[in-house]
Amino acid sequence: MPLARRLRLSDAVFIGLGSMIGAGVFSVWAPAIGVAGAGLPVALAIAAIVAYANATASAQLAEAHPVAGGTYAYARAEIGPWWGFVAGWNFVIGKIASCAAMAMTFAAYAAPAGWETPVAVVAVAALVAVNCFGVTRTALVTRLLVVASLIGLATVVAAGFGASPATAALPLPDATAYGVLQGAGLLFFAFAGYARIATMGEEVVDPGRTIPRAILLALGGAVVVYGAVATVVVLTLGADAATSPAPLVDVLSATGWEPLAPVVRVAASTASLGALLALLTGIGRTTLAMARERDLPAALAKVDPRWQVPRRAEITIGLIVICIVAVTDLRDAIGFSSFGVLLYYLIANAAAFRQQGAARRFPRALQVVGALGCLLLVNTLPVVASIIGTAVVLVGAVGRAFVLQVRCRRASRPQPPASDR
């Protein structure tokens, strides 16, 4: 059963913004500044350039293939089933890690001390339930959460530009090339949400026109927001931002706006929930597409007849995220997420590079920039995240090869005569 087309341009833009203006803008500054130092602006610019190049590839592919599944579906059509599987597998594992990161960030801002893990688990379960009752509800909730997040961020930016800190900020440590690239890889985690729009090709009205426009509008808005927030954090906190678990709250404290800290905590919580909701939706659709092609268990391809959503896929994803929340921390989740997502976009750029004729909307040079950027950043991520990511990718590839071998053997068995059946 096909999914219903109910999302318009504004809905798609808000879903993309909900993924990008989420936990990242509230939590990514400490690890990024810790490795990039004074090169943070350069790291942010590199992440934005790579994200833009990848966004144009996704937009071009989405216009030619307006179906659910994102690069999983695009790569299958353009360069073959195996490439599609690798893209889809990296998307699912990377974004499941992102979901865990969003849930943990929400709990860090919203939960009482000692209750972070239970609150994160409840948040995941609640948003899976929202997704199970229809995509229009998802779009409405995401819109409300994004507005609340922008109000909180506007408060921080106003404080940073409108008041002088009580003490001079310590200068950032000197930058190194490797540190800047690793910072860009971590910051890319926060920009990658535009893919949520591309994965919803079956649910967007006029997808060939709407999806490319929504991707670029959402990414442009996110770049503006991130640039403003980064400037405020650096000017107000300086090197102290590298050790701050809640740098945006600390900006208010440093500028005498501390009474408004609850506004930022609420904004951080709602932003995390908005990103988590949009991520769960996107992963569910990619899982649906992979299950339809039997690259994942076929049972996950069932669409609920009443609400027209892949309920089994949504619930399965939610249970896996809950397990990750229970056993990992935020920094590991960000690194592992960036690993999977960068490989996903590497394949997206390869697929878009193959397109010709009327399907081309952007110069091939952008796909070359995107692919090289993904390769460069993925090789600068923390070693542990890269090792675990490589192992999980290999497990998926070996598993698929085994399943295909079993199917081939079954297909090659001689069939008994009709009289023996």
Side-chain angles (χ1 to χ4, degrees):
M1 176 185 297
L3 302 176
R5 295 193 185 278
R6 296 174 177 171
L7 302 179
R8 300 189 179 278
L9 177 62
S10 61
D11 298 319
V13 170
F14 269 91
I15 286 175
L17 285 173
S19 295
M20 287 182 280
I21 304 176
V25 75
F26 294 94
S27 63
V28 79
W29 304 114
I33 290 173
V35 295
L40 180 69
V42 178
L44 185 63
I46 292 172
I49 291 170
V50 175
Y52 175 75
N54 294 341
T56 60
S58 293
Q60 181 174 293
L61 289 163
E63 185 171 357
H65 306 283
V67 296
T71 300
Y72 169 72
Y74 310 153
R76 282 184 65 91
E78 297 290 343
I79 52 180
W82 260 107
W83 287 105
F85 170 80
V86 174
W89 182 247
N90 275 290
F91 177 86
V92 169
I93 62 176
K95 287 309 176 181
I96 284 176
S98 292
C99 286
M102 301 303 176
M104 286 186 281
T105 300
F106 164 74
Y109 279 92
W115 286 83
E116 289 86 352
T117 298
V119 169
V121 168
V122 170
V124 174
L127 294 188
V128 168
V130 170
N131 272 342
C132 286
F133 286 100
V135 70
T136 52
R137 290 165 177 78
T138 296
L140 175 61
V141 173
T142 299
R143 187 185 295 261
L144 296 175
L145 294 176
V146 169
V147 170
S149 303
L150 291 175
I151 291 172
L153 294 174
T155 302
V156 173
V157 172
F161 286 121
S164 299
T167 59
L170 294 175
L172 296 177
D174 292 337
T176 65
Y178 182 81
V180 168
L181 292 174
Q182 187 172 116
L186 294 173
L187 288 166
F188 183 82
F189 154 82
F191 277 120
Y194 51 79
R196 303 298 72 69
I197 303 168
T199 62
M200 304 179 75
E202 282 190 31
E203 296 162 280
V204 173
V205 176
D206 189 12
R209 176 178 173 82
T210 299
I211 289 177
R213 294 172 62 196
I215 287 174
L216 298 180
L217 286 172
L219 178 61
V223 169
V224 171
V225 171
Y226 269 79
V229 174
T231 301
V232 165
V233 170
V234 170
L235 293 178
T236 305
L237 301 181
D240 290 337
T243 58
S244 172
L248 301 195
V249 172
D250 290 343
V251 168
L252 297 183
S253 299
T255 55
W257 290 42
E258 191 169 4
L260 292 178
V263 174
V264 176
R265 291 190 179 276
V266 170
S269 301
T270 55
S272 302
L273 289 180
L276 177 57
L277 180 62
L279 283 167
L280 288 169
T281 304
I283 299 169
R285 272 56 182 179
T286 298
T287 301
L288 169 68
M290 295 181 73
R292 283 172 171 172
E293 299 292 343
R294 299 181 68 187
D295 280 333
L296 289 176
L300 299 178
K302 182 176 176 58
V303 175
D304 184 86
R306 179 179 180 184
W307 300 107
Q308 295 182 301
V309 294
R311 180 171 293 183
R312 290 182 181 177
E314 298 280 4
I315 293 173
T316 301
I317 296 297
L319 292 174
I320 296 172
V321 173
I322 287 171
C323 292
I324 295 174
V325 166
V327 300
T328 192
D329 61 32
L330 180 61
R331 184 180 180 87
D332 289 340
I334 289 176
F336 184 69
S337 172
S338 293
F339 181 89
V341 174
L342 285 166
L343 291 182
Y344 172 85
Y345 284 116
L346 172 63
I347 297 173
N349 280 289
F353 188 86
R354 290 284 300 273
Q355 291 182 292
Q356 301 179 11
R360 295 215 60 80
R361 291 290 181 269
F362 300 95
R364 278 193 169 90
L366 281 174
Q367 281 110 57
V368 174
V369 170
L372 293 177
C374 289
L375 282 173
L376 183 63
L377 297 186
V378 82
N379 282 288
T380 63
L381 292 172
V383 175
V384 173
S386 297
I387 292 174
I388 295 175
T390 301
V392 174
V393 171
L394 290 175
V395 167
V398 171
R400 184 175 191 266
F402 175 78
V403 170
L404 291 177
Q405 184 67 22
V406 170
R407 291 177 187 169
C408 288
R409 288 180 180 177
R410 289 178 178 174
S412 64
R413 288 176 184 172
Q415 297 295 317
S419 59
D420 294 339
R421 294 179 188 175

